[in-house]
Amino acid sequence: GAVVSQHPSRVICKSGTSVKIECRSLDFQATTMFWYRQFPKQSLMLMATSNEGSKATYEQGVEKDKFLINHASLTLSTLTVTSAHPEDSSFYICSARPAIKTDTQYFGPGTRLTVL
Amino acid sequence: SQQGEEDPQALSIQEGENATMNCSYKTSINNLQWYRQNSGRGLVHLILIRSNEREKHSGRLRVTLDTSKKSSSLLITASRAADTASYFCATDGIGGAQKLVFGQGTRLTINP
């Protein structure tokens, strides 16, 4: 149980285009989902906290107009990278916290974004 | 802000030996978690230790937590080649937001 999926697993796009990444909790409901970014050989940096039915909370330094987050249901959150640039190339990972409160978050397998 | 510091940054040992990784943090925590990440993959949750716990075991893993020193250690006993990965500690601060702050990670290589 407690599986989180991400789609797509890899995406290559041209500079200036927008890319949408989906994060789904497959067998549980998640009131809160988190989006992280990881550059090569570095750690995960939290970008934003996504709560179902409300606006996302962004970490300092993360542009909310560039990284659009929508948490439309208890099993789906999406991250859209708008007007992508090569410096946005990174590994994006989501995690989901079950609606029944636990201390554990479940992580997705990640999405590798390459902007040409 | 990134508050976890891990030591060492890289560790290379022979198969069968024990591997110890350390993590230090700066603020009060609700719990501390350890994750493994194989190259280019997602995170695998290994173990969670709460702030009122001092030691926890899971299979070949042993985690300690010293809240007075704001540090934790992860010991992997009888290492195997399949243990080769990056290991991250992550702290869940007091407040209930469950925003994990990750350490810089230790790249562990097990040589056959």
Side-chain angles (χ1 to χ4, degrees), chain B residues 55-75:
Chain B
E55 188 171 311
K56 210 162 182 180
H57 297 254
S58 176
R60 293 185 295 114
L61 306 180
R62 173 177 169 255
V63 168
T64 63
L65 178 64
D66 187 335
T67 53
S68 66
K69 295 181 180 178
K70 290 186 168 58
S71 67
S72 174
S73 68
L74 170 67
L75 168 68

Side-chain angles (χ1 to χ4, degrees), chain B residues 25-70:
Chain B
Y25 56 93
K26 296 177 182 174
T27 62
S28 296
I29 62 171
N30 180 41
N31 64 66
L32 185 145
Q33 304 175 34
W34 284 90
Y35 290 86
R36 183 183 74 223
Q37 184 181 37
N38 290 87
S39 182
R41 302 288 184 89
L43 295 180
V44 174
H45 182 263
L46 295 177
I47 199 164
L48 179 153
I49 186 165
R50 292 188 170 80
S51 60
N52 61 352
E53 297 175 312
R54 292 296 167 258
E55 188 171 311
K56 210 162 182 180
H57 297 254
S58 176
R60 293 185 295 114
L61 306 180
R62 173 177 169 255
V63 168
T64 63
L65 178 64
D66 187 335
T67 53
S68 66
K69 295 181 180 178
K70 290 186 168 58

